[in-house]
Amino acid sequence: QVQLVESGGGLVQPGGSLRLSCAASGSSFSIFRMAWFRQVPGKQRELVAAITSGGNPNYADSVKGRFTISRDNAKNTVYLQMNNLKPDDTAVYYCNKDPVPLPNWGQGTQVTVSS
């Protein structure tokens, strides 16, 4: 069973940058289409970026031009480079398989964008 551990979040001012990492343990990571999701209290989880096993990315309109998803299959890791952060990016960020997530979500990593 794959385990997912997100890291790299923190507090940043608007316009700042962060890089999130998602480390996956277990087998078959390299064949998964992976995605980053985010969620704020009282709202539904939102997909922000996805990447195929071959490295082809897709992004939500709200983050296009600002976020970059990438992966290193040799390290079983997915990254999310976040630039020009906005207060609306504040959320807990999770990674998982897409379009059918694994049931064992990680704890996520908190991103707070505030002046």
Side-chain angles (χ1 to χ4, degrees), residues 4 6 22 33-37 94-98 100-106:
L4 302 165
E6 300 91 349
C22 170
R33 184 176 186 264
M34 297 294 295
W36 284 96
F37 304 82
Y94 302 88
C95 64
N96 211 324
K97 187 168 68 73
D98 182 76
V100 182
L102 296 167
N104 52 319
W105 293 82

Side-chain angles (χ1 to χ4, degrees), residues 14-15 23 37-38 41-42 58 68-69 98:
F37 304 82
R38 64 189 182 189
N58 290 104
T68 302
I69 188 171
D98 182 76

Side-chain angles (χ1 to χ4, degrees), residues 9-10 13-14 17 21-22 38 41 44 64-65 67 72 79 88 91 103-104:
Q13 292 185 331
S17 298
S21 297
C22 170
R38 64 189 182 189
Q44 292 186 333
K64 285 182 179 177
F67 290 10
D72 186 340
Y79 304 96
D88 284 348
N104 52 319

Side-chain angles (χ1 to χ4, degrees), residues 8-80:
L11 175 64
V12 66
Q13 292 185 331
S17 298
L18 287 171
R19 190 179 78 152
L20 308 184
S21 297
C22 170
S25 62
S27 63
S28 302
F29 170 82
S30 64
I31 71 172
F32 293 159
R33 184 176 186 264
M34 297 294 295
W36 284 96
F37 304 82
R38 64 189 182 189
Q39 188 168 28
V40 300
K43 298 186 67 176
Q44 292 186 333
R45 186 175 59 243
E46 173 190 22
L47 189 148
V48 298
I51 186 167
T52 69
S53 62
N56 295 318
N58 290 104
Y59 301 97
D61 288 342
S62 60
V63 307
K64 285 182 179 177
R66 300 188 298 119
F67 290 10
T68 302
I69 188 171
S70 61
R71 67 192 298 162
D72 186 340
N73 288 339
K75 296 182 177 180
N76 284 2
T77 302
V78 182
Y79 304 96
L80 186 67

